[in-house]
Amino acid sequence: MHGYTDRKDDYNKRLRRIEGQVRGLQRMVDEDKYCIDILTQISAATKALQSVALGLLEQHVAHCVADALATGGPEADAKVKEANEAIARLVRS
């Protein structure tokens, strides 16, 4: 079981909302809306995705990484490395 499983419905709702935002962006481009309005909506969708990513990362560290650390050994090292790489990707994006 993954750490986010108990919040899966919440994540799915948020992702569906983001999907709707992206469809709205496509519509705005199709309708030749003002550039700044489109950029504002892109910023909102990006922030929403970042929020989901941070929530998933928090759950991963609290469950997957914590469980691996409790067990110890090479799996713990691998989980910490994996989490660090995920954090680095999020910071770069």
Side-chain angles (χ1 to χ4, degrees):
M1 185 162 127
H2 298 289
Y4 65 85
T5 301
D6 61 335
R7 297 184 59 204
K8 188 188 293 190
D9 289 340
D10 179 49
Y11 285 121
N12 278 327
K13 273 189 226 173
R14 291 166 71 186
L15 289 168
R16 280 191 292 276
R17 197 172 310 127
I18 294 165
E19 181 181 20
Q21 284 180 293
V22 172
R23 283 196 186 116
L25 284 165
Q26 291 172 320
R27 207 169 22 257
M28 290 175 80
V29 170
D30 286 342
E31 295 171 359
D32 293 321
K33 297 295 183 183
Y34 186 56
C35 300
I36 296 301
D37 293 341
I38 296 170
L39 291 170
T40 299
Q41 292 305 310
I42 288 172
S43 177
T46 300
K47 286 184 189 294
L49 277 172
Q50 288 171 340
S51 176
V52 170
L54 288 174
L56 287 169
L57 179 62
E58 181 182 322
Q59 295 294 310
H60 179 68
V61 170
H63 295 278
C64 302
V65 175
D67 289 348
L69 287 173
T71 304
E75 183 183 346
D77 294 337
K79 289 289 183 186
V80 169
K81 182 177 186 245
E82 179 184 60
N84 284 334
E85 290 169 353
I87 291 166
R89 283 191 303 272
L90 285 172
V91 169
R92 283 192 298 263
S93 65

